[in-house]
Amino acid sequence: MKRVPDLLTLSRGVIAVAIFSLGFVGKSALEAVVVLTMIGWTTDIFDGRLARRYHKPPTWVGEQEFTFDMMMVFSALCFLVMVGLIPIIPAVIYVAVAAAC
């Protein structure tokens, strides 16, 4: 049971790869991306609660949770750009501003 929070966090890395890969499929994959994003959000809700219960101090994976969250967000942005729903220039500006903050 102690590994469940880390597995939930790691699953967002797998989801991020899947979302990015679906960008090569095209707009027809939008529904799958929405479902994967909702699954990722759900894992994010539960991993924090479980980690606080089982991991004191946090594990390495727990310390990287924000990184896995951002991987999922970035992959969704890449998907939206790849399928033409967001123009590349605003996306690049968004990433640059986010990186600067």
Side-chain angles (χ1 to χ4, degrees):
M1 197 61 178
K2 290 185 176 186
R3 292 185 176 200
V4 171
D6 286 348
L7 292 173
L8 290 172
T9 298
L10 290 170
S11 74
R12 286 195 299 287
V14 174
I15 290 170
V17 170
I19 290 172
F20 180 82
S21 299
L22 287 169
F24 295 105
V25 173
K27 285 183 186 177
S28 63
L30 183 59
E31 187 175 316
V33 169
V34 169
V35 170
L36 286 169
T37 300
M38 292 176 70
I39 292 169
W41 291 343
T42 303
T43 66
D44 193 25
I45 291 167
F46 289 114
D47 73 349
R49 290 181 180 180
L50 292 172
R52 284 187 290 280
R53 180 179 296 164
Y54 295 118
H55 295 150
K56 295 174 185 172
T59 64
W60 179 85
V61 173
E63 291 175 352
Q64 306 307 313
E65 192 212 5
F66 181 74
T67 302
F68 286 100
D69 292 345
M70 290 303 101
M71 284 174 54
M72 207 176 87
V73 169
F74 185 70
S75 69
L77 178 63
C78 289
F79 171 84
L80 294 170
V81 169
M82 292 167 77
V83 300
L85 294 173
I86 294 179
I88 186 95
I89 300 300
V92 169
I93 293 169
Y94 179 84
V95 170
V97 170
C101 292

